[in-house]
């Protein structure tokens, strides 16, 4: 998604530029870009000084406009953040303050008002309403972007995985050599290792986390509004919630289970021994030192493979829950989360490094899908200084 958005931004700013997008898979959106929840976040979780706050707010508006322009379906389901105790009520107020500071429409509603919005919601005294939170089909969005780029003469070459840097701005991708004036690395799970070939991402490594949702298979509709708990700000993820797809299907999740290699979706698919050894080394270090509470966090996430345990996390947010009908697992996704190896902390904001020859999007985690269009414009404005014409081509 980020690569597509950057290519789109480049084409808008430099319409005569020669742009080639190299894609590892046979089509776009085969990994996190097509396996995420499809939620268009509003931008009230993040502190006002963060890139996430700015780009999520603007991205929500931009993505709604993009979907309307291209005739893509949007489920304007809204979101309620609920409280389970007095401490979480204060958490709601903090989220309201952040939303106000970020220019995001949010409203603190009482229990009665919350029940009018979502009859099945359970909350203590108050809930936070986010009226601009919606759901879209992320694969559909990516493919619409792909088609728009192709129509504008951007070359999208599929089946061309990055292999290595050769010299200067020459790279081997697939079995061919490419040379460009500027190389922009939006490789997700592989972004840090690609960047290190160009002398960037020193002191960083990629930590993959597996996300799975538990889907509701009943024919009724248990919810019409997204339900989230107040997040624990000490943890890197938002926690278990009720997500609703663009078609109105309800699911519980996601997990954030530490994965052992980058494409550790199921069984030994995508297995790479060297990746596993490096990731296990850092996971072991985090376990021993319990950095950012990783030990407790990791074991709790592993327990979410137990369907009943996962359901129990979500049950407190609703009045009625038919656990037997939450019985099908979604296709797993892998979150590409950057680890600062010097501080042993997860990088929480978007992170980009580069120069006038290469640019590397190192950390683009949630809400990167929502934020992608304005974030891509920012990357181009900050790093691309009119030198986008290719200095070569495929060899």
């Amino acid at each position: 998604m980020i690569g597509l958005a950057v290519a789109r931004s480049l084409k808008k700013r430099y319409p005569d530029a020669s742009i080639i997008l190299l894609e590892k898979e046979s089509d776009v959106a085969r990994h996190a870009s097509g396996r995420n929840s499809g939620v268009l976040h509003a931008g009230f979780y993040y502190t006002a000084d963060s890139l996430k706050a700015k780009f999520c707010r603007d991205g929500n508006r931009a993505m709604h406009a993009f979907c309307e322009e291209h005739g893509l379906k949007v489920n304007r389901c809204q979101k309620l953040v609920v409280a389970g105790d007095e401490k979480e009520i204060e958490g709601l107020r903090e989220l309201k303050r952040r939303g106000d500071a970020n220019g995001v429409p949010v409203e603190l509603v009482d229990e009665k008002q919350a029940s009018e919005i979502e009859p099945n919601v359970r909350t203590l005294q108050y809930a936070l309403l986010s009226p601009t939170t919606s759901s879209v089909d992320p694969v559909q969005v990516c493919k619409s972007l792909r088609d728009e780029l192709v129509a504008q003469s951007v070359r999208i070459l599929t089946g061309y995985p990055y292999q290595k840097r050769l010299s200067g701005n020459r790279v081997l991708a697939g079995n061919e050599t490419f040379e460009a004036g500027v190389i922009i690395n939006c490789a997700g799970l592989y972004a840090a290792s690609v960047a290190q070939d160009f002398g960037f991402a020193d002191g960083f490594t990629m930590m993959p986390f597996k996300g799975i949702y538990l889907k509701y298979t009943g024919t009724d509709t248990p919810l019409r509004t997204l339900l989230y708990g107040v997040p624990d700000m000490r943890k890197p993820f938002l926690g278990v919630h009720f997500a609703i797809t663009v078609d109105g299907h309800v699911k519980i999740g996601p997990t954030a289970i530490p994965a052992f290699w980058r494409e550790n979706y199921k069984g030994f698919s995508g297995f790479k021994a060297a990746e596993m050894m490096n990731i296990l080394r850092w996971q072991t270090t985090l376990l021993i030192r319990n950095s950012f509470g990783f030990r407790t966090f990791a074991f709790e996430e592993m327990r979410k493979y137990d369907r009943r345990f996962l359901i129990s996390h979500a049950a407190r947010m609703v009045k009625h829950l038919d656990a037997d009908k939450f019985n099908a697992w979604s296709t797993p996704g892998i979150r590409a989360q950057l680890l600062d190896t010097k501080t042993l902390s997860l990088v929480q904001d978007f992170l980009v490094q580069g120069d006038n020859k290469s640019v590397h999007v190192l950390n683009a985690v949630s809400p990167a899908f929502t934020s992608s269009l304005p974030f891509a414009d920012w990357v181009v404005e900050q790093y691309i200084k009119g030198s986008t014409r290719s200095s070569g081509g495929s060899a």
Side-chain angles (χ1 to χ4, degrees):
M1 181 65 199
I2 299 297
L4 291 164
V6 168
R8 182 177 189 256
S9 184
L10 283 169
K11 199 63 180 175
K12 284 192 300 181
R13 183 173 285 257
Y14 305 105
D16 296 328
S18 171
I19 301 170
I20 297 177
L21 196 153
L22 300 176
E23 167 58 50
K24 179 169 84 78
E25 304 295 352
S26 59
D27 202 351
V28 300
R30 291 296 173 87
H31 294 280
S33 296
R35 295 169 183 248
N36 65 74
S37 66
V39 172
L40 298 186
H41 294 282
F44 58 84
Y45 287 113
Y46 320 106
T47 55
D49 59 348
S50 66
L51 294 177
K52 283 185 176 183
K54 177 183 177 181
F55 297 134
C56 188
R57 177 199 64 207
D58 296 346
N60 179 285
R61 298 166 186 162
M63 192 62 76
H64 276 102
F66 178 87
C67 290
E68 183 177 349
E69 178 187 347
H70 290 79
L72 304 181
K73 187 174 180 180
V74 178
N75 182 358
R76 296 181 181 271
C77 48
Q78 307 185 104
K79 177 195 288 185
L80 284 169
V81 183
V82 303
D85 55 35
E86 292 289 340
K87 183 179 178 181
E88 291 188 347
I89 292 174
E90 179 51 39
L92 293 179
R93 294 193 175 100
E94 172 59 23
L95 293 177
K96 175 69 165 65
R97 287 190 286 268
R98 292 188 181 193
D100 292 344
N102 296 345
V104 175
V106 285
E107 181 182 354
L108 204 60
V109 298
D110 61 29
E111 286 182 72
K112 182 176 181 295
Q113 292 170 310
S115 292
E116 289 169 354
I117 297 162
E118 171 49 66
N120 197 20
V121 69
R122 175 187 289 169
T123 191
L124 179 65
Q125 298 183 34
Y126 300 100
L128 189 71
L129 171 65
S130 170
T132 59
T133 300
S134 302
S135 294
V136 297
D137 182 338
V139 174
Q140 191 180 60
V141 170
C142 288
K143 289 187 175 181
S144 185
L145 269 171
R146 175 202 64 191
D147 294 345
E148 180 184 287
L149 291 171
V150 170
Q152 295 174 349
S153 301
V154 173
R155 292 175 62 196
I156 300 180
L157 304 182
T158 57
Y160 279 82
Y162 172 88
Q163 305 287 357
K164 61 181 178 179
R165 181 189 188 190
L166 297 174
S167 62
N169 262 28
R170 294 172 63 246
V171 300
L172 180 65
N175 294 317
E176 294 188 43
T177 300
F178 297 86
E179 186 175 5
V182 179
I183 292 173
I184 307 176
N185 161 25
C186 305
L189 287 161
Y190 300 89
S193 57
V194 172
Q196 285 160 2
D197 282 357
F198 288 81
F200 293 96
D202 180 45
F204 295 102
T205 191
M206 195 63 70
M207 296 294 289
F209 290 85
K210 185 186 298 187
I212 314 172
Y213 281 94
L214 190 57
K215 298 186 292 185
Y216 187 79
T217 60
T219 56
D220 57 323
T221 305
L223 290 170
R224 63 192 186 198
T225 305
L226 296 163
L227 296 183
Y228 283 58
V230 175
D232 184 342
M233 298 302 182
R234 297 168 299 177
K235 295 182 179 180
F237 310 117
L238 292 180
V240 172
H241 53 263
F242 285 95
I244 302 176
T245 68
V246 71
D247 295 320
H249 295 110
V250 178
K251 50 190 182 180
I252 291 172
T255 63
I257 300 165
F260 299 123
W261 56 92
R262 288 185 179 92
E263 296 180 35
N264 181 199
Y265 292 119
K266 184 178 180 181
F268 282 91
S269 66
F271 174 74
K272 293 180 181 177
E275 280 185 14
M276 185 179 73
M277 294 304 293
N278 180 63
I279 290 166
L280 280 175
R281 177 168 69 93
W282 287 111
Q283 286 177 347
T284 302
T285 301
L286 295 176
L287 280 169
I288 292 171
R289 299 193 184 183
N290 199 28
S291 302
F292 59 88
F294 180 78
R295 189 184 307 136
T296 302
F297 168 79
F299 286 121
E300 181 171 296
E301 289 299 317
M302 292 295 289
R303 289 187 66 192
K304 290 177 184 174
Y305 274 125
D306 179 344
R307 187 174 67 88
R308 295 285 172 176
F309 181 78
L310 181 60
I311 290 171
S312 70
H313 274 253
R316 71 179 185 88
M317 292 185 274
V318 293
K319 296 169 184 171
H320 309 288
L321 186 148
D322 189 342
D324 291 337
K325 292 181 181 177
F326 282 97
N327 56 17
W329 293 102
S330 69
T331 302
I334 305 288
R335 177 187 177 114
Q337 176 68 62
L338 200 67
L339 176 73
D340 185 326
T341 59
K342 297 175 181 143
T343 63
L344 293 181
S345 60
L346 297 181
V347 178
Q348 292 300 305
D349 207 358
F350 300 144
L351 180 64
V352 182
Q353 293 180 350
D355 55 23
N356 64 348
K357 292 294 185 181
S358 69
V359 182
H360 306 273
V361 179
L362 298 177
N363 201 55
V365 292
S366 180
F369 182 85
T370 302
S371 307
S372 56
L373 298 179
F375 174 60
D377 288 341
W378 178 81
V379 170
V380 171
E381 289 164 7
Q382 292 291 313
Y383 289 93
I384 311 302
K385 308 299 182 184
S387 56
T388 58
R389 287 187 300 169
S390 174
S391 61
S394 57

